[in-house]
Amino acid sequence: MASGYGLAGGPSRCFPFWQDLLACYVVNTTADDVSGGKKCLPVMEDYYECLHHKKEATRTRALQHAYRRAIAAHPREDMPPPGTIRSLGLLGKEDDTKAVLESEKARK
């Protein structure tokens, strides 16, 4: 990634952000005075977000939490009972299976 080349040989996904950060530092700092680098904090923040996706992950967690809270506050009226969900309606139906098999035998 530091070379600027991605896995497929082209530029990496964050290389444009790195170029913006580098350009900001070149324009705002000198060899004697590096205090102009403070102007580059928003650009550096964008570069770090591209690398690590911290803000995106935080936003995603907040959205998931809000979604789960909304679902818990307003449950579905037509939700099947938990036993049906676990068994998909297949387990605990031995009597029905026997009745179906017996009716098929009677047809033959």
Side-chain angles (χ1 to χ4, degrees):
M1 174 113 79
S3 65
Y5 293 101
L7 294 174
S12 67
R13 71 170 191 265
C14 298
F15 188 65
F17 293 101
W18 170 250
Q19 287 179 320
D20 291 342
L21 179 62
L22 192 59
C24 181
Y25 270 107
V26 167
V27 169
N28 292 311
T29 60
T30 63
D32 301 328
D33 184 26
V34 294
S35 63
K38 292 179 183 176
K39 295 178 182 175
C40 300
L41 286 177
V43 181
M44 186 188 315
E45 203 171 290
D46 290 343
Y47 177 62
Y48 283 155
E49 176 59 24
C50 180
L51 287 176
H52 306 294
H53 303 290
K54 300 265 185 191
K55 289 180 182 177
E56 180 185 4
T58 302
R59 260 182 267 135
T60 301
R61 274 188 245 111
L63 284 171
Q64 287 174 342
H65 179 69
Y67 177 74
R68 289 184 183 122
R69 194 174 44 216
I71 291 296
H74 304 289
R76 288 178 29 191
E77 291 87 23
D78 61 344
M79 181 172 285
T84 305
I85 294 171
R86 278 191 219 103
S87 68
L88 297 175
L90 301 175
L91 300 176
K93 301 288 184 174
E94 289 81 15
D95 296 333
D96 295 339
T97 304
K98 287 179 187 176
V100 169
L101 292 175
E102 288 174 5
S103 67
E104 286 183 9
K105 285 181 185 178
R107 277 193 239 163
K108 291 180 183 180

